[in-house]
Amino acid sequence: MAMKLRLARGGSKKRPYYSIVAADSRMPRDGRFKEKLGTYQPMLAKDDENRVKMDMERVQYWLDQGAEPTDRVSRMLEAAGHLPKKDRANLKKGEPGKAAKARAEERAAKQAAIDEAANAPAEEAATEE
């Protein structure tokens, strides 16, 4: 059975509240889980101590049993200092789209033409002297 440490959503519309749970990966997000390990309240300020609460003994138990934390839960564990930081690289995210690339090429071509026009008279004056 593949276990995950993940978030189960609670709360009302536009007022999220999450439980950190150990659940079978085949169960639905808010469905059946083995154990509740903590809470996450994203509406609180980032420096608020009540934003993320976890029972670290039980979290460590499930990690020792082979449970895989989801990306969001692993980031919370990294912030708490219980997991080593992973190198994450989303190389596609920083890359501009097709239209932005076309605009940049067009802008570079215009700038090159302006630079060429500005340098041409200066070169001619320098060669005539």
Side-chain angles (χ1 to χ4, degrees):
M1 185 163 51
M3 294 295 293
K4 290 270 190 187
L5 300 182
R6 66 181 184 201
L7 299 175
R9 186 181 163 129
S12 60
K13 182 177 176 181
K14 307 224 178 184
R15 304 287 297 170
Y17 178 88
Y18 295 93
S19 297
I20 302 168
V21 297
D24 183 357
S25 64
R26 297 170 291 187
M27 294 295 134
R29 178 191 71 182
D30 300 335
R32 193 167 58 198
F33 58 88
K34 297 285 185 189
E35 183 178 359
K36 182 177 175 183
L37 305 172
T39 60
Y40 169 54
Q41 299 180 31
M43 299 297 287
L44 295 178
K46 290 192 178 198
D47 58 349
D48 193 334
E49 61 198 33
N50 294 325
R51 185 176 167 106
V52 178
K53 290 184 179 178
M54 286 187 267
D55 182 358
M56 291 314 300
E57 289 179 15
R58 296 305 296 167
V59 168
Q60 193 58 50
Y61 167 79
W62 283 108
L63 290 173
D64 293 341
Q65 295 296 313
E68 285 290 318
T70 59
D71 184 53
R72 184 57 47 194
V73 173
S74 66
R75 285 175 188 258
M76 291 175 191
L77 291 171
E78 288 170 9
H82 293 281
L83 281 182
K85 285 212 176 251
K86 294 180 186 173
D87 288 334
R88 293 180 178 87
N90 189 351
L91 303 177
K92 292 273 186 186
K93 186 171 185 173
E95 189 175 306
K98 290 179 186 176
K101 285 180 185 176
R103 283 193 303 268
E105 289 174 7
E106 188 177 312
R107 202 174 310 123
K110 284 182 181 178
Q111 188 61 38
I114 292 171
D115 290 344
E116 186 177 315
N119 290 337
E123 291 174 1
E124 289 176 14
T127 56
E128 289 177 5
E129 291 178 9

